[in-house]
């Protein structure tokens, strides 16, 4: 049940996102589009409630419950940025807005950009860990919660790996190709 609901929530996320952007830019109904986009968090609340009900009804805690927590954590950490990014591109493509700026290509500006994205991953890991710990306390049987605890480690491994990648942009920033070219020599 939980796995099916995770899939339904993921599909629902993209359907609501497409419907919201279509209403906003193609149908010229910005309030309807905004209302559809604001329904996105309802999917995560539905998944959270369904997971809690599943555990309350005696379901054995499994990898699907852990995946649900990570899914919710990812959405909390990166969902707003994803919607904002796609909204900017839809506004450009269908609304006549200027092309959204991409990430800085090099230097410390790129490192700061990568650090901000990593902060989303960190928020996701904290959220997933809080949900998983709440589930562990809710189940209250140390012999049955091993799979939930292992997902906590997975969340922090992902945050750590992403953090190292983001840090690499600060330690070894990509150089601006224009700044590394030698000026043209003029023989005079």
């Amino acid at each position: 049940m939980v796995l099916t609901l995770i899939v339904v929530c993921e599909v629902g996320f993209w359907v609501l996102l497409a419907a919201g952007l279509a209403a906003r830019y193609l149908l010229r109904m910005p309030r309807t589009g905004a209302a559809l986009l604001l329904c996105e968090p309802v999917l995560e609340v539905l998944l959270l409630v369904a997971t809690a009900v599943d555990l309350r009804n005696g379901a054995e805690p499994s990898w699907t419950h852990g995946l649900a927590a990570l899914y919710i954590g990812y959405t909390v950490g990166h969902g707003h940025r994803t919607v904002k990014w796609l909204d900017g591109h839809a506004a450009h493509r269908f609304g006549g807005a200027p092309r959204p700026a991409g990430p800085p290509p090099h230097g410390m500006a790129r490192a700061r950009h990568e650090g901000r994205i990593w902060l989303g991953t960190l928020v996701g890991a904290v959220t997933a860990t809080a949900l998983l710990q709440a589930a562990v306390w809710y189940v209250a049987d140390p012999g049955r919660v091993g799979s939930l605890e292992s997902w906590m480690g997975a969340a922090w491994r992902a945050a750590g790996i992403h953090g190292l990648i983001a840090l690499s942009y600060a330690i070894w920033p990509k150089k601006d190709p224009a700044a590394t070219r030698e000026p043209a020599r003029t023989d005079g």
Side-chain angles (χ1 to χ4, degrees):
M1 174 184 105
V2 175
L3 183 60
T4 302
L5 194 53
I6 292 169
V7 172
V8 167
C9 286
E10 180 65 13
V11 170
F13 173 84
W14 291 105
V15 168
L16 278 174
L17 184 57
L21 295 176
R24 194 176 216 171
Y25 297 109
L26 297 177
L27 302 176
R28 305 280 189 245
M29 300 170 68
R31 292 178 121 178
T32 302
L36 286 167
L37 293 175
L38 287 173
C39 289
E40 301 264 358
V42 173
L43 294 172
E44 280 67 39
V45 171
L46 175 67
L47 179 58
L48 179 63
V49 169
T51 303
V53 167
D54 192 43
L55 289 172
R56 185 190 68 202
N57 289 339
E60 188 67 28
S62 70
W63 66 273
T64 59
H65 298 98
L67 182 61
L70 259 61
Y71 176 81
I72 293 169
Y74 180 86
T75 303
V76 169
H78 292 288
H80 181 263
R81 185 179 53 80
T82 302
V83 170
K84 186 177 174 182
W85 181 81
L86 286 170
D87 185 49
H89 284 281
H92 167 66
R93 178 83 168 101
F94 303 113
R99 180 180 210 75
H106 46 267
M108 289 310 290
R110 179 60 184 248
R112 283 189 294 278
H113 170 78
E114 295 296 330
R116 283 190 296 273
I117 293 174
W118 174 73
L119 286 176
T121 301
L122 191 61
V123 167
V126 168
T127 302
T129 300
L131 292 173
L132 289 164
Q133 187 59 51
V136 166
W137 290 333
Y138 188 68
V139 171
D141 182 358
R144 296 178 48 215
V145 295
S147 66
L148 298 176
E149 292 170 338
S150 72
W151 280 97
M152 286 184 214
W156 288 104
R157 278 190 302 279
I161 291 167
H162 189 186
L164 290 173
I165 292 168
L167 183 61
S168 74
Y169 282 89
I171 295 172
W172 300 289
K174 186 175 177 184
K175 305 242 185 295
D176 182 357
T180 59
R181 279 190 229 134
E182 290 184 28
R185 290 181 43 170
T186 56
D187 291 331

